[in-house]
Amino acid sequence: DNMRMDDPEVYKMIGEGKTSGVFQLESVGMTQFMKELKPQCLEDIIAGIALYRPGPMDRIPIYLKNKNNKESIKYAHPLLENILDVTYGCIVYQEQVMQIVQELAGYSMGMADIVRRAMAKKKADVMKEERNRFIYGFKDENGNVIVKGAIRNGVDEETADKIFDEMMDFASYAFNKPHSAAYAVIA
């Protein structure tokens, strides 16, 4: 009752699996994950809650490997490092998908949110068009560049395609960070 979020004992207890009755952390699977994760700060709990869902759960092994072995982190392109460093090279949050399309391809914030929503709803027709825009860019009817595209930002076509595939695989199950953060604070 007297513990605070900045108390290292809180994270030690969670990492030891003492999660009975703890919101979002008490299931057998989540307790085991927390024991493997050994959270050391609130950011670890936030990421853990976002990862422990169908879809993102597949990335737990690589997340744990990278967290405990930072030299094993590999970024498909250097532009991803500033976006994915906090999550050890893994896409964990919807907001990271939006940052990737903004940073790598030059999407506006509004256009990035449209991509996020289309991915979440698995709209194949929209995503085919967005893949093309992400990789090659997009111009309006007057030839003005609306989306620069990953290639113009120095990302080769194969890497851009691979990054888009990873976002597609992930986005339909992705959790938003504020939601996960609120759950983590309550936990």
Side-chain angles (χ1 to χ4, degrees):
D1 287 335
N2 296 331
M3 293 186 151
R4 298 167 17 133
M5 281 189 291
D6 60 353
D7 186 341
E9 286 299 311
V10 170
Y11 303 104
K12 183 177 181 226
M13 287 174 52
I14 291 170
E16 290 173 351
K18 296 176 183 172
T19 58
S20 180
V22 177
F23 177 70
Q24 289 288 307
L25 305 181
E26 69 178 336
S27 74
V28 172
M30 183 57 111
T31 297
Q32 182 58 42
F33 175 39
M34 288 295 118
K35 286 168 69 174
E36 293 172 32
L37 180 63
K38 300 211 179 309
Q40 297 172 331
C41 61
L42 186 61
E43 190 68 43
D44 288 343
I45 306 275
I46 295 168
I49 288 171
L51 283 164
Y52 199 77
R53 315 209 162 272
M57 195 179 274
D58 295 342
R59 288 183 167 61
I60 288 175
I62 190 79
Y63 183 89
L64 290 171
K65 177 184 163 213
N66 289 352
K67 179 183 184 289
N68 297 318
N69 219 349
K70 293 187 180 49
E71 52 279 350
S72 69
I73 299 172
K74 296 196 181 5
Y75 298 99
H77 192 275
L79 289 172
L80 293 174
E81 187 170 356
N82 286 337
I83 300 167
L84 303 179
D85 61 344
V86 71
T87 52
Y88 312 108
C90 298
I91 300 173
V92 174
Y93 309 113
Q94 291 176 352
E95 292 82 0
Q96 289 174 310
V97 169
M98 292 174 63
Q99 287 178 287
I100 290 168
V101 298
Q102 287 176 282
E103 190 70 29
L104 273 65
Y107 279 66
S108 69
M109 192 175 284
M111 290 177 77
D113 191 48
I114 290 168
V115 171
R116 178 201 57 81
R117 281 186 276 153
M119 284 181 173
K121 293 179 181 176
K122 298 181 182 182
K123 293 185 175 182
D125 55 330
V126 175
M127 293 322 305
K128 183 177 180 184
E129 185 178 330
E130 290 304 334
R131 176 186 297 275
N132 195 50
R133 287 180 180 182
F134 176 78
I135 295 171
Y136 305 106
F138 172 70
K139 294 180 180 179
D140 68 13
E141 63 276 352
N142 298 323
N144 299 315
V145 174
I146 304 300
V147 173
K148 191 173 178 182
I151 290 175
R152 285 191 191 105
N153 275 336
V155 182
D156 67 85
E157 182 177 7
E158 184 179 335
T159 301
D161 199 47
K162 179 181 159 193
I163 291 167
F164 197 88
D165 283 341
E166 186 176 343
M167 289 188 301
M168 284 290 295
D169 290 345
F170 176 76
S172 60
Y173 302 103
F175 213 48
N176 67 58
K177 189 171 183 178
H179 198 144
S180 189
Y183 280 10
V185 168
I186 293 169

